[in-house]
Amino acid sequence: MKKMFTIAMMALSVGAFAQQRQMVRTDNKTYQENRYQQTYNSRYGNFNFSRLYLTSRQERQLVALLKDKQTEERTILKKYRNPQQKLRMLDREYDRKIQNLLSRSQYDKWSKIYAYQYEAYGNKRWS
């Protein structure tokens, strides 16, 4: 009886130890995914266009366009006293560039979901 009890206790302790190691592996995988997300965000900014289903090339070009637009917005805001008209022209110009980059269905999703976030002359700018 004592031998069976000892064998059962050994089996339970080995099983618990194996489960604990498995949990560490999943935690390590989560850590690796978070690290990838951090390097992606540091390289491309905090852009997420998952609903558009972009190719990697399209995503790189879109991020580059948005960063260029952002730098031009800053220069316009510094340079002009009343920049609203210039910012509207800038929005139209970059809207055409984005429209040429994306397919029709992607552009429709862009205009419905994402475009308001990257608009230069919205209420968020002047409040």
Side-chain angles (χ1 to χ4, degrees):
M1 187 72 167
K2 287 183 180 180
K3 287 183 182 180
M4 290 192 53
F5 182 71
T6 307
I7 292 172
M9 291 301 286
M10 291 290 286
L12 287 174
S13 64
V14 169
F17 181 70
Q19 287 178 352
Q20 187 177 16
R21 289 181 66 198
Q22 180 64 28
M23 287 175 59
V24 170
R25 281 191 207 132
T26 57
D27 290 344
N28 191 18
K29 183 178 178 183
T30 306
Y31 172 74
Q32 288 173 349
E33 289 173 0
N34 288 339
R35 186 174 173 102
Y36 169 76
Q37 190 67 27
Q38 289 171 352
T39 57
Y40 179 83
N41 285 342
S42 66
R43 188 177 307 152
Y44 296 115
N46 198 10
F47 298 106
N48 183 10
F49 305 114
S50 60
R51 294 184 185 177
L52 293 179
Y53 302 109
L54 300 173
T55 63
S56 59
R57 180 180 159 269
Q58 282 179 322
E59 188 169 0
R60 282 192 312 263
Q61 288 179 339
L62 184 61
V63 168
L65 279 174
L66 292 174
K67 285 186 177 185
D68 292 343
K69 180 181 175 184
Q70 190 176 28
T71 56
E72 287 187 36
E73 281 178 19
R74 287 184 190 139
T75 57
I76 287 173
L77 288 172
K78 288 178 184 177
K79 192 173 183 179
Y80 295 101
R81 187 177 266 183
N82 293 322
Q84 290 90 351
Q85 184 65 26
K86 294 287 185 183
L87 289 175
R88 286 188 188 108
M89 289 172 45
L90 182 72
D91 270 340
R92 285 188 213 116
E93 176 187 344
Y94 276 93
D95 194 39
R96 278 190 298 257
K97 289 180 181 180
I98 291 171
Q99 190 174 10
N100 290 336
L101 175 66
L102 302 176
S103 69
R104 183 175 287 165
S105 63
Q106 287 173 335
Y107 182 74
D108 289 341
K109 285 181 186 177
W110 165 264
S111 60
K112 289 178 184 174
I113 299 170
Y114 296 103
Y116 74 93
Q117 297 174 358
Y118 304 102
E119 199 173 274
Y121 58 91
N123 289 334
K124 66 179 176 67
R125 180 68 66 190
W126 311 114
S127 50

